[in-house]
Amino acid sequence: MARYNPKEVEPRWRAAWDDKGVFRTRGPEEAGGKPKYYVLEMFPYPSGNIHMGHARNYVMGDVVARFKRARGFNVLHPMGWDAFGMPAENAAMERGVHPKAWTYSNIDNMRAQLKLLGLSIDWSREFATCDPAYYGRQQRWFLDLWERGLVYRKESVVNWDPVDHTVLANEQVIDGRGWRSGAVVEKRKLTQWFLRITDYADELIEGLKTLDRWPDKVRLMQENWIGKSRGLKFRFDFAEGSKPDGIDNLEVYTTRPDTLFGASFVAIAWDHPLAERIAAADPAVAAFCEELRHGAATEAEIETGEKKGLFTGLEVVHPFDPSIKLPVWIANFVLMQYGTGALFGCPGHDQRDHDFASKYGLPIIPVVCPDGVDPATFNVDAEPFVGDGKLFNSRFLDGLDVDSGIAAAIDRMEAQDQGEGATVYRLRDWGVSRQRYWGCPIPVIHCEACGPQPVPPEQLPVELPEDVEFKTPGNPLDRHPTWRHTTCPKCKGAAQRETDTLDTFVDSSWYFARFANPHAAEPIDKVAADYWLAVDQYIGGVEHAVLHLLYARFISRALTDAGDMTVREPFAGLFTQGMVVHETYRLPDDPKGWIEPTDVELKTVDGKRVARRISTGEPLVIGDIEKMSKSKKNVVAPEEILDAYGVDAGRLFVLSDSPPERDVQWTAGGIEGSWRFVNRVWSVFEDLDQMGVTEPADPDAAQALRRTTHKAIKAVTEGFDGFRFNSAIARLYEFVNAIKGSDPEATGSAARREALSALARLIAPIVPHLAEECWAALGETGMVVDAPWPAFDPMLAADDEIALPIQVNGKRRGELKVKPGLEPADVEKIALSDEQVKRHLDGLTVRKVIVVKDRIVNIVAG
RNA sequence: GCCGCCGUAGCUCAGUGGUAGAGCGCAUCCUUGGUAAGGCUGAGGUCGGCAGUUCAAUCCUGCCCGGCGGCACCA
């Protein structure tokens, strides 16, 4: 047999899979009663090239898909493209290439690269979100949501780049400047489209409890993001002579109404209506609000979070004691977007209020005293106390603990009809307007007479015009000569199209449902979606833990309520995989002098690793291990690896060296090790055709090999089931070593065939090409991809003899070989009669013998 | 600041209330008819630190130290 040659073997098997169409999805009618399994990796943005992170993500999904297929599931494993977004417009501006041409050519390139990975994908279901066939249907359900009242327009504050004439996301604002133009970013009020995700806030939290196959971490992050809190909303009356015209009272929100008697001021946000009212009449207040509008001026201010405030001159009356007056301040730490944009400050029991009061000399009144401390001497001047305790200085609340105090204060406030218990969320409605070209047009027509009107269904999709230019900044849709001009569907008068496009997170909020039937006329084929959804295993980066996954959960619910879909919770199982990282190398005197790994030679000198630049011989500094990035030049391109070692060695390596949820460090040594394993596997299949049928020369050896085989099947199966690919691979290493270490004459051909047949099938999800070649070498006629998963015999997979350590006073002093399940009383007898043990018990009295069945014996003596 | 995760061999990481493991690296030797290699053998660990629970703690509990991630004035 020839040496293993991936360059010849791998393309041959990929062609064989294609020819037989083995990865074509079967609908329920073809499934023959098999249970369905939907495995999906987060679809990629078509940036142009597959990188190692993509490769690891898609290989993991492929392992799951192939494993489930072998285990008898009817599998859906599709692929598509998250194809709208800014980089296409940037390419247009920088290189004059049209976003559409750029995107589709990137897709062609990346599809070809993905196919090289040997993924078991049904490519017939592929689509891109920038296909009019896709985004047109998105427009359709957008209007369904509008009809249900889940879509609305409102004015909101955005980051505006005055040079590029565009809205920037928060992460595109760096040190207060636009990331592209470098211009100082302004806060502008724009009328934007919003989706009412907050209507579903409670359900989105409740649903998290049912997601038992999601990482706890992600569920926790979503819960914190939604940020539900319970408290009290109530209204302060203004003090006499302090009441502004047209404003009756000032509503605040608090989670700690128990501390109301510790209040010493009231604070409002700079953009609170009351602040705007006062600013209109008072230039000093106007100047202060303007200052806060620009946010923290320096890094230091952001870091220290220094409190700033200005007394407005107004006073309000304490709701529980009209004789107490509280000053109203405008403060920089109050956010208009949360609660009511106003709060009462209790410096004794809140860090921020304490900072503020200390700075401006406001009173600090303690009202909660920790248990076991004397209230008479309890002092919060230096530091607030935020824990539980007994209320004091608080009239009718005195003596209550915090929880009862909160309840009592809410009751009293409701009784005097000045407030009510309230639930408040950190989550805000989802602003989906983007002033950009390369996105899904919002299907709305603005008519001066009739207001905003939905585009009639027969006019969908509203397609993007292709004749646009990107030389001038701003939204090309806005300045297109004809595109926006249309007629009002209601009054037939002249009207204008909406020129905002949708946030690309909308595109990715329903693609998993479209995959159920990507050719359906309606947005979602409910019968197909009902069969395939929920996604049984979703796999992607943890960076999408909040936004994408929360939006998709919201849209699924909204679409279900609007009648377009039937599954409220789209992802039953979620796995967040780690990144591929690599060491960095740079020139000693240049903090930015990064050198790519291909130009680096590593050696160990006197036990220390040193790096040298191959091209010049210069010594290099070994830097941190970081996510592969072009800027740090620590990128290893998948195609280089494929070329040198083949796909299978690469697939093996990205899974073998680290648990899937953690980062994996790419190393030259690691991929070498994987390559050696590929060859070692092949070497055990090599001598097969000379083997013939032989009786075992040593029946014990044959039995031992069978035990090893069945233990390996059990361990590897459990590893794949539990998403522990690295430990499944470790078991495969051991299994191959055991086969290689066994003597073919001793074991005979039957046990050996059993071992190799199992091995070929066990490695198939990870190294599918090699597995096919091994399977063929066994003389099998079909392909391993169609072979059922091997089963193990529980009797053979269990140990028939256990080594039972014996401890004397906690120290290991001997060992027994026993059959599993031996009764503790019998074990005790054997242990005490053991010669070794007797020696250690010499001169001691046995006080106690602890026998843990099948585990250990401990003799306590003294 | 708050919340979460992690700390085990030189490196990357398994693991378990009861004998500390794998791969890579390193050292020694063998092979030179699997050779842009293969194989044998071996060294190497206070399981981050301190205390507690237990017959027994790397594992459970508490505190501390170090690294990483999320949120960040959320009233």
Side-chain angles (χ1 to χ4, degrees):
Chain A
M1 267 186 165
R3 190 179 161 70
Y4 188 69
N5 179 5
K7 281 190 177 160
E8 184 273 320
V9 169
E10 290 177 347
R12 178 154 48 77
W13 287 112
R14 280 199 295 276
W17 297 326
D18 266 359
D19 288 348
K20 286 197 70 181
V22 288
F23 303 132
R24 188 179 65 82
T25 311
R26 269 75 178 159
E29 66 290 344
E30 282 183 282
K34 288 179 177 179
K36 69 93 186 179
Y37 198 91
Y38 185 1
V39 53
L40 182 68
E41 302 93 56
M42 291 180 186
F43 67 164
Y45 178 79
S47 57
N49 280 294
I50 295 292
H51 55 69
M52 236 9 127
H54 287 127
R56 190 171 189 225
N57 186 203
Y58 299 121
V59 168
M60 278 182 196
D62 195 49
V63 169
V64 173
R66 287 174 179 272
F67 175 62
K68 291 293 176 184
R69 186 185 306 278
R71 300 221 79 190
F73 287 86
N74 185 37
V75 171
L76 171 59
H77 186 208
M79 180 61 70
W81 310 96
D82 189 13
F84 273 136
M86 287 218 317
E89 285 186 68
N90 294 338
M93 285 184 268
E94 283 159 14
R95 277 171 281 158
V97 50
H98 194 280
K100 181 176 172 182
W102 183 84
T103 301
Y104 281 103
S105 112
N106 283 350
I107 287 174
D108 286 343
N109 199 34
M110 286 175 76
R111 183 193 307 107
Q113 292 174 336
L114 277 184
K115 286 192 172 181
L116 286 179
L117 293 177
L119 306 175
S120 61
I121 285 169
D122 177 0
W123 285 100
S124 73
R125 298 196 176 220
E126 176 191 357
F127 59 76
T129 56
C130 63
D131 300 338
Y134 182 81
Y135 71 73
R137 276 146 182 120
Q138 184 163 302
Q139 292 168 340
R140 207 136 105 202
W141 66 246
F142 179 87
L143 295 176
D144 292 341
L145 297 196
W146 191 6
E147 207 168 296
R148 273 194 75 81
L150 291 169
V151 177
Y152 67 99
R153 295 177 85 207
K154 80 169 179 197
E155 216 178 43
S156 78
V157 179
V158 297
N159 302 306
W160 178 260
D161 186 318
V163 171
D164 278 355
H165 294 272
T166 187
V167 168
L168 299 176
N170 284 334
E171 57 270 24
Q172 291 163 350
V173 180
I174 298 157
D175 293 336
R177 290 170 181 275
W179 68 293
R180 166 175 288 282
S181 69
V184 175
V185 168
E186 299 168 8
K187 300 249 183 227
R188 269 209 193 176
K189 285 196 167 177
L190 275 188
T191 302
Q192 311 242 84
W193 292 93
F194 285 83
L195 298 183
R196 265 186 226 285
I197 189 172
T198 53
D199 275 13
Y200 291 85
D202 257 326
E203 203 199 317
L204 288 167
I205 291 179
E206 285 305 305
L208 291 173
K209 292 175 190 151
T210 68
L211 296 174
D212 55 347
R213 291 200 296 117
W214 277 41
D216 290 342
K217 179 168 92 161
V218 174
R219 290 194 288 180
L220 192 66
M221 281 166 71
Q222 291 213 352
E223 196 175 334
N224 291 341
W225 186 266
I226 296 168
K228 182 176 184 170
S229 83
R230 288 177 201 288
L232 169 68
K233 271 186 189 172
F234 70 94
R235 294 164 288 281
F236 278 108
D237 292 325
F238 291 98
E240 254 184 64
S242 192
K243 187 177 165 314
D245 285 343
I247 295 181
D248 292 337
N249 51 44
L250 178 61
E251 189 176 49
V252 301
Y253 172 70
T254 179
T255 57
R256 292 293 302 276
D258 59 309
T259 63
L260 250 166
F261 287 99
S264 61
F265 65 94
V266 167
I268 62 176
W270 63 268
D271 48 348
H272 190 281
L274 178 59
E276 288 177 349
R277 167 68 62 90
I278 302 165
D282 185 338
V285 172
F288 183 70
C289 290
E290 184 63 16
E291 187 189 330
L292 297 191
R293 191 164 85 91
H294 288 115
T298 65
E299 282 289 326
E301 278 179 19
I302 298 169
E303 280 299 310
T304 58
E306 199 188 339
K307 304 287 179 287
K308 275 196 252 177
L310 183 72
F311 178 46
T312 61
L314 302 183
E315 286 187 325
V316 294
V317 179
H318 195 287
F320 294 150
D321 181 349
S323 73
I324 303 174
K325 311 275 188 276
L326 302 171
V328 177
W329 289 64
I330 295 168
N332 67 338
F333 66 96
V334 184
L335 304 173
M336 190 59 220
Q337 305 92 318
Y338 185 78
T340 63
L343 55 86
F344 77 81
C346 176
H349 304 284
D350 182 280
Q351 185 65 54
R352 296 153 303 180
D353 299 346
H354 194 277
D355 294 347
F356 193 76
S358 303
K359 179 164 176 181
Y360 293 105
L362 296 160
I364 300 173
I365 311 155
V367 290
V368 183
C369 183
D371 291 332
V373 175
D374 180 5
T377 60
F378 183 55
N379 186 296
V380 287
D381 289 347
E383 226 179 314
F385 171 68
V386 297
D388 196 7
K390 290 274 177 295
L391 292 164
F392 69 114
N393 284 343
S394 295
R395 321 279 172 92
F396 68 95
L397 299 171
D398 280 351
L400 298 175
D401 62 20
V402 167
D403 283 345
S404 334
I406 289 171
I410 293 175
D411 284 349
R412 175 71 64 104
M413 200 71 81
E414 288 179 346
Q416 64 192 55
D417 204 21
Q418 212 175 330
E420 46 284 318
T423 302
V424 161
Y425 301 89
R426 202 190 80 108
L427 181 72
R428 292 168 220 158
D429 275 337
W430 178 13
V432 292
S433 281
R434 296 292 181 270
Q435 288 69 38
R436 304 222 158 257
Y437 166 72
W438 195 233
C440 171
I442 295 176
V444 172
I445 293 166
H446 296 280
C447 171
E448 280 202 20
C450 313
Q453 298 295 319
V455 173
E458 66 277 9
Q459 288 178 28
L460 293 179
V462 176
E463 284 200 50
L464 288 168
E466 295 199 16
D467 52 336
V468 284
E469 54 89 13
F470 294 90
K471 291 193 188 74
T472 26
N475 183 351
L477 291 179
D478 242 353
R479 54 167 187 269
H480 190 279
T482 55
W483 183 79
R484 62 185 303 178
H485 302 295
T486 184
T487 53
C488 172
K490 199 169 170 189
C491 71
K492 310 297 175 201
Q496 306 243 301
R497 289 194 188 284
E498 172 64 62
T499 58
D500 284 356
T501 51
L502 288 171
D503 180 2
T504 58
F505 275 119
V506 178
D507 309 338
S508 55
S509 290
W510 69 291
Y511 77 106
F512 46 87
R514 183 72 187 164
F515 274 137
N517 179 357
H519 313 294
E522 64 272 32
I524 295 164
D525 174 344
K526 282 201 264 183
V527 173
D530 231 12
Y531 174 70
W532 286 114
L533 291 176
V535 175
D536 296 280
Q537 188 63 65
Y538 196 35
I539 305 171
V542 73
E543 66 271 21
H544 294 113
V546 177
L547 295 182
H548 161 59
L549 289 166
L550 192 65
Y551 291 146
R553 295 180 62 226
F554 157 57
I555 291 294
S556 295
R557 286 165 167 80
L559 288 181
T560 300
D561 289 339
D564 290 298
M565 198 169 149
T566 47
V567 175
R568 302 184 81 77
E569 196 66 77
F571 310 119
L574 172 70
F575 192 87
T576 54
Q577 102 275 9
M579 296 182 298
V580 181
V581 296
H582 195 290
E583 227 168 26
T584 53
Y585 312 100
R586 59 180 172 79
L587 299 167
D589 303 318
D590 183 357
K592 288 189 176 158
W594 306 106
I595 305 298
E596 48 281 291
T598 46
D599 194 16
V600 176
E601 180 190 51
L602 291 164
K603 268 196 204 158
T604 306
V605 177
D606 300 330
K608 281 185 78 178
R609 294 176 69 239
V610 293
R612 202 175 63 90
R613 189 172 184 184
I614 296 168
S615 54
T616 62
E618 293 165 280
L620 296 173
V621 174
I622 299 178
D624 293 334
I625 297 164
E626 297 189 58
K627 179 179 181 175
M628 286 189 181
S629 76
K630 280 179 194 157
S631 62
K632 300 273 170 69
K633 292 194 179 172
N634 60 340
V635 174
V636 175
E639 53 269 36
E640 288 169 24
I641 299 307
L642 267 47
D643 196 47
Y645 301 100
V647 180
D648 282 345
R651 288 175 58 119
L652 177 64
F653 178 67
V654 291
L655 298 180
S656 65
D657 256 31
S658 188
E661 68 275 17
R662 286 225 219 153
D663 293 351
V664 64
Q665 187 187 351
W666 187 276
T667 61
I671 183 68
E672 289 280 351
S674 295
W675 167 240
R676 277 202 288 273
F677 180 71
V678 166
N679 282 287
R680 195 149 69 240
V681 170
W682 180 238
S683 74
V684 301
F685 282 87
E686 261 187 324
D687 305 324
L688 263 184
D689 38 2
Q690 285 106 49
M691 196 164 79
V693 177
T694 60
E695 288 302 312
D698 175 1
D700 286 347
Q703 187 68 0
L705 181 58
R706 295 204 67 206
R707 284 192 177 282
T708 303
T709 299
H710 286 260
K711 278 184 187 173
I713 296 171
K714 182 169 190 281
V716 172
T717 306
E718 287 169 358
F720 284 144
D721 259 332
F723 242 89
R724 293 183 301 270
F725 304 134
N726 61 321
S727 56
I729 291 168
R731 299 291 87 75
L732 286 170
Y733 268 90
E734 290 168 9
F735 185 33
V736 171
N737 288 344
I739 296 173
K740 228 179 148 55
S742 68
D743 175 2
E745 286 183 22
T747 60
S749 61
R752 203 164 182 79
R753 268 202 95 77
E754 181 185 47
L756 293 179
S757 170
L759 178 61
R761 286 176 286 165
L762 292 177
I763 62 173
I766 305 235
V767 286
H769 311 82
L770 172 65
E772 293 292 1
E773 196 70 4
C774 294
W775 192 245
L778 281 168
E780 300 284 349
T781 46
M783 289 195 280
V784 75
V785 72
D786 291 323
W789 194 248
F792 63 88
D793 177 343
M795 294 297 288
L796 284 170
D799 284 303
D800 61 342
E801 199 178 55
I802 293 175
L804 210 58
I806 306 171
Q807 294 180 336
V808 177
N809 290 332
K811 289 205 171 98
R812 184 168 177 272
R813 297 301 188 195
E815 190 178 276
L816 297 179
K817 295 239 188 244
V818 299
K819 291 231 175 298
L822 194 63
E823 286 308 313
D826 301 328
V827 174
E828 182 174 334
K829 248 180 266 167
I830 304 168
L832 288 173
S833 61
D834 186 272
E835 285 306 317
Q836 285 275 340
V837 174
K838 273 190 187 159
R839 224 180 14 247
H840 284 97
L841 290 174
D842 199 27
L844 299 175
T845 317
V846 174
R847 303 201 185 277
K848 196 173 176 186
V849 179
I850 300 133
V851 179
V852 182
K853 201 170 178 180
D854 294 346
R855 296 307 290 264
I856 202 165
V857 184
N858 191 14
I859 300 164
V860 185

